[in-house]
Amino acid sequence: MLRTRKNVLANYRRKLKRLGVVRLEVHVRRADAELVRGVVKALADPEHEAQTRALLRKRFGGGKAKGFKALLAAAPLAGIDLARDPDFGRDVKL
């Protein structure tokens, strides 16, 4: 690649980094491709981005994990038997 092309590309990537833009590669089914493109366009549109972001966060959650303890506290444990028989070990003759 020519040096000038490398400089142009490097400048472009620096500009995107300053703007907080990241590149993502997503694998989806062919039937869902238009849907994903629509979501991306809605997030890029200044008129709809706040509404779209709020809707996505509400539906899919956007919060970061606060740790293992918080993850366990938020886990749905209904119907799971957490009781166990006491284990006294085995008899050992010394």
Side-chain angles (χ1 to χ4, degrees):
M1 192 182 299
L2 296 174
R3 185 178 175 104
T4 56
R5 287 184 87 188
K6 284 184 182 180
N7 288 341
V8 170
L9 184 59
N11 289 338
Y12 176 71
R13 288 180 177 163
R14 263 187 253 123
K15 177 184 172 186
L16 289 179
K17 189 175 182 179
R18 274 195 315 269
L19 295 173
V21 176
V22 295
R23 179 178 170 86
L24 297 177
E25 181 177 335
V26 181
H27 296 270
V28 296
R29 291 188 178 103
R30 186 176 307 231
D32 296 332
E34 269 312 306
L35 177 64
V36 173
R37 286 185 188 113
V39 170
V40 171
K41 286 178 187 175
L43 286 170
D45 183 12
E47 293 180 15
H48 298 107
E49 69 176 323
Q51 181 183 5
T52 305
R53 194 170 283 115
L55 179 69
L56 290 171
R57 282 193 178 129
K58 180 180 176 186
R59 176 61 180 100
F60 300 107
K64 294 186 178 185
K66 296 177 180 134
F68 186 65
K69 187 175 179 180
L71 178 67
L72 287 176
L77 299 175
I80 298 175
D81 183 21
L82 296 176
R84 65 179 204 171
D85 295 332
D87 183 16
F88 297 113
R90 57 189 173 131
D91 292 333
V92 178
K93 294 182 181 178
L94 297 176

